[in-house]
Amino acid sequence: MSRVARAVAEVKHRGLDAFVISAPSNIRYLSGFSGSSGTIVLRNDAAMLLTDGRYTERARDEIDAADADVEIVRVSGNGRAELLRLLDGASRVGIEADHTSWSAASSLGEDLGGDTLVATTGLVEAFREIKDDVELGLMRRAAEIADRALAQLLTEFAPGVSERDVARRLDALVLDAGADGSGFDTIVGSGPNSSRPHHQSTNRTIEMGDLVIIDFGAECSGYRSDMTRTFVFGEPSARQRELLDAVHDAQAAGVAAVGVGVAAQTIDAACRSHLSAAGLAEWFTHGTGHGVGLDIHEAPSVSAKGTATLAAGHVITVEPGVYLPEFGGVRWEDTVVVTSTGADPLTRSPKQPVII
Ligand code: ZN
Ligand code: ZN
């Protein structure tokens, strides 16, 4: 069954006459269209992409390339007139509650009248969780590019450069290696900054003895990779070594726990109990991982609150970390595919933290 056909069937299954899709990643998944302005309407077994004159040619090319059964509706102005025409007579119209602003939902609701709008969640996202071979190929490529870019960076990396210098260089290397872009905003956190899990790279100069966390990825045709490595210039202190080893082993325990039919919570628990035994659990302040795909963070959640059961074709990260304020942090992260035999790592850069 095609992606559009599956989504159309799910719209009916949920008792909706029509479904309005506004999340760019869901639009890209169904149609191949990657422009920043568009809406898909699913109605009467058909999919219509509403977009304006800036994007219609690109939409035609991308829909053809994806071999998607999606009709293009060229809109003028804000497209409201065309949208209302496609929704005419529908009495239950689903909208993506997670991706629609209050003002957009309110004004569409007023135009449609009554209780027509139905807040809907996860309809397309659920299909995106399990990757097909084409998607896995793109993600494997993104991960290989990231591995190559990091290997090159490490031949150049020396104390005296700033976090921003490193981030910019890594972004350039990812592009040079053939990616369409970075997977997300590259994180380079050094010294005390490494204790901030989602640090924004600064002009701080990296010095001998600093812990340096580098968290980055590549993007290929919309699909992303996600990897973190931690480094130290020179011989690590005893405390740094202890953190590096403990998180390394916790991450390995998490990856080893990955398998078909395993609760996502179990992966989190495997990492957490390892860090707990090392007396570091209180410094592990985020969930263990997340799904990756067209979005850098998508379902399933790999955390203590995650309710998913892993299945073949899920792509998740395993990324425990410990963060000691003022001292620094350590995180190891890989993107892995869930397979019948366990975890198949896509990101494969060595975990060798010491740079002499
Ligand atoms: Zn990451
Ligand atoms: Zn991540």
Side-chain angles (χ1 to χ4, degrees), residues 200-224:
Q200 189 170 18
S201 309
T202 69
N203 288 323
R204 183 184 185 279
T205 300
I206 298 171
E207 294 167 6
M208 285 296 286
D210 283 347
L211 284 168
V212 183
I213 285 182
I214 298 183
D215 186 351
F216 77 109
E219 183 242 303
C220 293
S221 299
Y223 287 86
R224 293 153 210 279

PDB file of all heavy atoms in Angstrom, residues 200-224:
ATOM      1  N   GLN A 200      24.565  25.904  23.313  1.00  0.00           N
ATOM      2  CA  GLN A 200      24.729  26.587  22.027  1.00  0.00           C
ATOM      3  C   GLN A 200      26.186  27.026  21.931  1.00  0.00           C
ATOM      4  O   GLN A 200      26.689  27.729  22.813  1.00  0.00           O
ATOM      5  CB  GLN A 200      23.806  27.801  21.960  1.00  0.00           C
ATOM      6  CG  GLN A 200      23.771  28.406  20.573  1.00  0.00           C
ATOM      7  CD  GLN A 200      22.676  29.455  20.473  1.00  0.00           C
ATOM      8  OE1 GLN A 200      22.179  29.954  21.470  1.00  0.00           O
ATOM      9  NE2 GLN A 200      22.306  29.784  19.254  1.00  0.00           N
ATOM     10  N   SER A 201      26.864  26.594  20.877  1.00  0.00           N
ATOM     11  CA  SER A 201      28.306  26.839  20.762  1.00  0.00           C
ATOM     12  C   SER A 201      28.619  28.328  20.888  1.00  0.00           C
ATOM     13  O   SER A 201      27.922  29.170  20.331  1.00  0.00           O
ATOM     14  CB  SER A 201      28.814  26.323  19.421  1.00  0.00           C
ATOM     15  OG  SER A 201      28.404  24.992  19.232  1.00  0.00           O
ATOM     16  N   THR A 202      29.713  28.627  21.618  1.00  0.00           N
ATOM     17  CA  THR A 202      30.098  30.025  21.874  1.00  0.00           C
ATOM     18  C   THR A 202      31.494  30.293  21.319  1.00  0.00           C
ATOM     19  O   THR A 202      32.124  29.415  20.725  1.00  0.00           O
ATOM     20  CB  THR A 202      30.134  30.315  23.393  1.00  0.00           C
ATOM     21  OG1 THR A 202      31.250  29.571  23.948  1.00  0.00           O
ATOM     22  CG2 THR A 202      28.863  29.896  24.084  1.00  0.00           C
ATOM     23  N   ASN A 203      31.998  31.485  21.597  1.00  0.00           N
ATOM     24  CA  ASN A 203      33.364  31.836  21.191  1.00  0.00           C
ATOM     25  C   ASN A 203      34.404  31.355  22.203  1.00  0.00           C
ATOM     26  O   ASN A 203      35.578  31.695  22.086  1.00  0.00           O
ATOM     27  CB  ASN A 203      33.485  33.354  21.011  1.00  0.00           C
ATOM     28  CG  ASN A 203      32.753  33.797  19.747  1.00  0.00           C
ATOM     29  OD1 ASN A 203      32.760  33.086  18.738  1.00  0.00           O
ATOM     30  ND2 ASN A 203      32.113  34.950  19.801  1.00  0.00           N
ATOM     31  N   ARG A 204      33.971  30.572  23.189  1.00  0.00           N
ATOM     32  CA  ARG A 204      34.943  30.088  24.181  1.00  0.00           C
ATOM     33  C   ARG A 204      36.068  29.302  23.495  1.00  0.00           C
ATOM     34  O   ARG A 204      35.826  28.452  22.647  1.00  0.00           O
ATOM     35  CB  ARG A 204      34.255  29.179  25.204  1.00  0.00           C
ATOM     36  CG  ARG A 204      35.197  28.694  26.296  1.00  0.00           C
ATOM     37  CD  ARG A 204      34.530  27.705  27.253  1.00  0.00           C
ATOM     38  NE  ARG A 204      35.434  27.355  28.344  1.00  0.00           N
ATOM     39  CZ  ARG A 204      36.401  26.450  28.257  1.00  0.00           C
ATOM     40  NH1 ARG A 204      36.590  25.784  27.126  1.00  0.00           N
ATOM     41  NH2 ARG A 204      37.194  26.198  29.291  1.00  0.00           N
ATOM     42  N   THR A 205      37.295  29.591  23.892  1.00  0.00           N
ATOM     43  CA  THR A 205      38.455  28.898  23.333  1.00  0.00           C
ATOM     44  C   THR A 205      38.650  27.563  24.049  1.00  0.00           C
ATOM     45  O   THR A 205      38.635  27.503  25.281  1.00  0.00           O
ATOM     46  CB  THR A 205      39.723  29.763  23.507  1.00  0.00           C
ATOM     47  OG1 THR A 205      39.512  30.994  22.811  1.00  0.00           O
ATOM     48  CG2 THR A 205      40.939  29.057  22.943  1.00  0.00           C
ATOM     49  N   ILE A 206      38.812  26.528  23.277  1.00  0.00           N
ATOM     50  CA  ILE A 206      38.996  25.189  23.842  1.00  0.00           C
ATOM     51  C   ILE A 206      40.451  25.044  24.295  1.00  0.00           C
ATOM     52  O   ILE A 206      41.378  25.376  23.559  1.00  0.00           O
ATOM     53  CB  ILE A 206      38.631  24.118  22.788  1.00  0.00           C
ATOM     54  CG1 ILE A 206      37.147  24.268  22.422  1.00  0.00           C
ATOM     55  CG2 ILE A 206      38.951  22.723  23.296  1.00  0.00           C
ATOM     56  CD1 ILE A 206      36.703  23.428  21.237  1.00  0.00           C
ATOM     57  N   GLU A 207      40.595  24.553  25.543  1.00  0.00           N
ATOM     58  CA  GLU A 207      41.935  24.490  26.139  1.00  0.00           C
ATOM     59  C   GLU A 207      42.323  23.059  26.478  1.00  0.00           C
ATOM     60  O   GLU A 207      41.462  22.183  26.579  1.00  0.00           O
ATOM     61  CB  GLU A 207      41.959  25.331  27.421  1.00  0.00           C
ATOM     62  CG  GLU A 207      41.759  26.814  27.158  1.00  0.00           C
ATOM     63  CD  GLU A 207      41.461  27.597  28.428  1.00  0.00           C
ATOM     64  OE1 GLU A 207      41.514  27.000  29.530  1.00  0.00           O
ATOM     65  OE2 GLU A 207      41.156  28.795  28.296  1.00  0.00           O
ATOM     66  N   MET A 208      43.615  22.853  26.692  1.00  0.00           N
ATOM     67  CA  MET A 208      44.107  21.551  27.143  1.00  0.00           C
ATOM     68  C   MET A 208      43.360  21.143  28.411  1.00  0.00           C
ATOM     69  O   MET A 208      43.129  21.973  29.298  1.00  0.00           O
ATOM     70  CB  MET A 208      45.608  21.628  27.486  1.00  0.00           C
ATOM     71  CG  MET A 208      46.539  21.682  26.294  1.00  0.00           C
ATOM     72  SD  MET A 208      46.486  20.192  25.264  1.00  0.00           S
ATOM     73  CE  MET A 208      47.381  19.016  26.282  1.00  0.00           C
ATOM     74  N   GLY A 209      42.973  19.885  28.483  1.00  0.00           N
ATOM     75  CA  GLY A 209      42.318  19.376  29.681  1.00  0.00           C
ATOM     76  C   GLY A 209      40.811  19.545  29.694  1.00  0.00           C
ATOM     77  O   GLY A 209      40.149  19.009  30.577  1.00  0.00           O
ATOM     78  N   ASP A 210      40.257  20.290  28.718  1.00  0.00           N
ATOM     79  CA  ASP A 210      38.794  20.446  28.665  1.00  0.00           C
ATOM     80  C   ASP A 210      38.110  19.158  28.222  1.00  0.00           C
ATOM     81  O   ASP A 210      38.608  18.474  27.325  1.00  0.00           O
ATOM     82  CB  ASP A 210      38.404  21.506  27.610  1.00  0.00           C
ATOM     83  CG  ASP A 210      38.622  22.926  28.073  1.00  0.00           C
ATOM     84  OD1 ASP A 210      38.832  23.126  29.283  1.00  0.00           O
ATOM     85  OD2 ASP A 210      38.574  23.816  27.207  1.00  0.00           O
ATOM     86  N   LEU A 211      36.979  18.877  28.826  1.00  0.00           N
ATOM     87  CA  LEU A 211      36.054  17.925  28.202  1.00  0.00           C
ATOM     88  C   LEU A 211      35.354  18.665  27.060  1.00  0.00           C
ATOM     89  O   LEU A 211      34.937  19.817  27.230  1.00  0.00           O
ATOM     90  CB  LEU A 211      35.010  17.442  29.204  1.00  0.00           C
ATOM     91  CG  LEU A 211      35.461  16.412  30.245  1.00  0.00           C
ATOM     92  CD1 LEU A 211      34.397  16.267  31.325  1.00  0.00           C
ATOM     93  CD2 LEU A 211      35.733  15.057  29.581  1.00  0.00           C
ATOM     94  N   VAL A 212      35.241  18.026  25.907  1.00  0.00           N
ATOM     95  CA  VAL A 212      34.572  18.657  24.756  1.00  0.00           C
ATOM     96  C   VAL A 212      33.517  17.695  24.214  1.00  0.00           C
ATOM     97  O   VAL A 212      33.853  16.569  23.816  1.00  0.00           O
ATOM     98  CB  VAL A 212      35.567  18.999  23.629  1.00  0.00           C
ATOM     99  CG1 VAL A 212      34.840  19.710  22.489  1.00  0.00           C
ATOM    100  CG2 VAL A 212      36.714  19.851  24.144  1.00  0.00           C
ATOM    101  N   ILE A 213      32.269  18.110  24.264  1.00  0.00           N
ATOM    102  CA  ILE A 213      31.173  17.311  23.708  1.00  0.00           C
ATOM    103  C   ILE A 213      30.848  17.837  22.311  1.00  0.00           C
ATOM    104  O   ILE A 213      30.623  19.043  22.133  1.00  0.00           O
ATOM    105  CB  ILE A 213      29.924  17.392  24.612  1.00  0.00           C
ATOM    106  CG1 ILE A 213      30.116  16.549  25.878  1.00  0.00           C
ATOM    107  CG2 ILE A 213      28.682  16.933  23.852  1.00  0.00           C
ATOM    108  CD1 ILE A 213      28.900  16.546  26.802  1.00  0.00           C
ATOM    109  N   ILE A 214      30.839  16.940  21.345  1.00  0.00           N
ATOM    110  CA  ILE A 214      30.443  17.313  19.978  1.00  0.00           C
ATOM    111  C   ILE A 214      29.241  16.451  19.590  1.00  0.00           C
ATOM    112  O   ILE A 214      29.328  15.220  19.569  1.00  0.00           O
ATOM    113  CB  ILE A 214      31.602  17.104  18.977  1.00  0.00           C
ATOM    114  CG1 ILE A 214      32.779  18.003  19.362  1.00  0.00           C
ATOM    115  CG2 ILE A 214      31.138  17.402  17.553  1.00  0.00           C
ATOM    116  CD1 ILE A 214      33.960  17.929  18.400  1.00  0.00           C
ATOM    117  N   ASP A 215      28.120  17.107  19.329  1.00  0.00           N
ATOM    118  CA  ASP A 215      26.860  16.413  19.007  1.00  0.00           C
ATOM    119  C   ASP A 215      26.378  16.990  17.683  1.00  0.00           C
ATOM    120  O   ASP A 215      26.093  18.184  17.585  1.00  0.00           O
ATOM    121  CB  ASP A 215      25.847  16.688  20.131  1.00  0.00           C
ATOM    122  CG  ASP A 215      24.551  15.902  19.974  1.00  0.00           C
ATOM    123  OD1 ASP A 215      24.348  15.277  18.916  1.00  0.00           O
ATOM    124  OD2 ASP A 215      23.738  15.936  20.922  1.00  0.00           O
ATOM    125  N   PHE A 216      26.300  16.151  16.666  1.00  0.00           N
ATOM    126  CA  PHE A 216      26.007  16.679  15.327  1.00  0.00           C
ATOM    127  C   PHE A 216      25.456  15.561  14.453  1.00  0.00           C
ATOM    128  O   PHE A 216      25.417  14.393  14.836  1.00  0.00           O
ATOM    129  CB  PHE A 216      27.281  17.275  14.710  1.00  0.00           C
ATOM    130  CG  PHE A 216      28.242  16.238  14.187  1.00  0.00           C
ATOM    131  CD1 PHE A 216      28.423  16.072  12.818  1.00  0.00           C
ATOM    132  CD2 PHE A 216      28.917  15.396  15.048  1.00  0.00           C
ATOM    133  CE1 PHE A 216      29.280  15.089  12.333  1.00  0.00           C
ATOM    134  CE2 PHE A 216      29.774  14.417  14.570  1.00  0.00           C
ATOM    135  CZ  PHE A 216      29.966  14.267  13.201  1.00  0.00           C
ATOM    136  N   GLY A 217      25.052  15.938  13.243  1.00  0.00           N
ATOM    137  CA  GLY A 217      24.557  14.943  12.300  1.00  0.00           C
ATOM    138  C   GLY A 217      24.586  15.488  10.894  1.00  0.00           C
ATOM    139  O   GLY A 217      24.938  16.644  10.660  1.00  0.00           O
ATOM    140  N   ALA A 218      24.218  14.635   9.965  1.00  0.00           N
ATOM    141  CA  ALA A 218      24.109  15.013   8.555  1.00  0.00           C
ATOM    142  C   ALA A 218      22.679  14.778   8.114  1.00  0.00           C
ATOM    143  O   ALA A 218      21.932  14.016   8.746  1.00  0.00           O
ATOM    144  CB  ALA A 218      25.080  14.198   7.712  1.00  0.00           C
ATOM    145  N   GLU A 219      22.296  15.453   7.028  1.00  0.00           N
ATOM    146  CA  GLU A 219      20.952  15.277   6.471  1.00  0.00           C
ATOM    147  C   GLU A 219      21.071  14.928   4.987  1.00  0.00           C
ATOM    148  O   GLU A 219      21.776  15.599   4.243  1.00  0.00           O
ATOM    149  CB  GLU A 219      20.162  16.575   6.642  1.00  0.00           C
ATOM    150  CG  GLU A 219      18.729  16.488   6.155  1.00  0.00           C
ATOM    151  CD  GLU A 219      18.456  17.449   5.009  1.00  0.00           C
ATOM    152  OE1 GLU A 219      18.652  18.652   5.152  1.00  0.00           O
ATOM    153  OE2 GLU A 219      18.064  16.949   3.931  1.00  0.00           O
ATOM    154  N   CYS A 220      20.407  13.845   4.598  1.00  0.00           N
ATOM    155  CA  CYS A 220      20.385  13.422   3.198  1.00  0.00           C
ATOM    156  C   CYS A 220      18.931  13.260   2.761  1.00  0.00           C
ATOM    157  O   CYS A 220      18.210  12.427   3.327  1.00  0.00           O
ATOM    158  CB  CYS A 220      21.111  12.087   3.013  1.00  0.00           C
ATOM    159  SG  CYS A 220      22.874  12.173   3.321  1.00  0.00           S
ATOM    160  N   SER A 221      18.509  14.045   1.787  1.00  0.00           N
ATOM    161  CA  SER A 221      17.120  14.014   1.296  1.00  0.00           C
ATOM    162  C   SER A 221      16.123  14.057   2.451  1.00  0.00           C
ATOM    163  O   SER A 221      15.112  13.353   2.433  1.00  0.00           O
ATOM    164  CB  SER A 221      16.880  12.762   0.436  1.00  0.00           C
ATOM    165  OG  SER A 221      17.725  12.780  -0.681  1.00  0.00           O
ATOM    166  N   GLY A 222      16.426  14.860   3.457  1.00  0.00           N
ATOM    167  CA  GLY A 222      15.499  15.054   4.570  1.00  0.00           C
ATOM    168  C   GLY A 222      15.762  14.150   5.762  1.00  0.00           C
ATOM    169  O   GLY A 222      15.295  14.433   6.861  1.00  0.00           O
ATOM    170  N   TYR A 223      16.495  13.050   5.562  1.00  0.00           N
ATOM    171  CA  TYR A 223      16.721  12.077   6.650  1.00  0.00           C
ATOM    172  C   TYR A 223      18.028  12.386   7.377  1.00  0.00           C
ATOM    173  O   TYR A 223      19.019  12.747   6.756  1.00  0.00           O
ATOM    174  CB  TYR A 223      16.710  10.654   6.097  1.00  0.00           C
ATOM    175  CG  TYR A 223      15.302  10.245   5.746  1.00  0.00           C
ATOM    176  CD1 TYR A 223      14.762  10.552   4.496  1.00  0.00           C
ATOM    177  CD2 TYR A 223      14.482   9.630   6.687  1.00  0.00           C
ATOM    178  CE1 TYR A 223      13.453  10.237   4.185  1.00  0.00           C
ATOM    179  CE2 TYR A 223      13.172   9.305   6.390  1.00  0.00           C
ATOM    180  CZ  TYR A 223      12.661   9.612   5.142  1.00  0.00           C
ATOM    181  OH  TYR A 223      11.363   9.307   4.858  1.00  0.00           O
ATOM    182  N   ARG A 224      17.997  12.218   8.705  1.00  0.00           N
ATOM    183  CA  ARG A 224      19.069  12.734   9.543  1.00  0.00           C
ATOM    184  C   ARG A 224      19.815  11.632  10.298  1.00  0.00           C
ATOM    185  O   ARG A 224      19.282  10.543  10.500  1.00  0.00           O
ATOM    186  CB  ARG A 224      18.471  13.725  10.565  1.00  0.00           C
ATOM    187  CG  ARG A 224      17.949  14.967   9.880  1.00  0.00           C
ATOM    188  CD  ARG A 224      16.823  15.658  10.639  1.00  0.00           C
ATOM    189  NE  ARG A 224      15.931  16.320   9.694  1.00  0.00           N
ATOM    190  CZ  ARG A 224      16.154  17.509   9.135  1.00  0.00           C
ATOM    191  NH1 ARG A 224      17.235  18.186   9.454  1.00  0.00           N
ATOM    192  NH2 ARG A 224      15.315  18.008   8.268  1.00  0.00           N
TER     193      ARG A 224
END
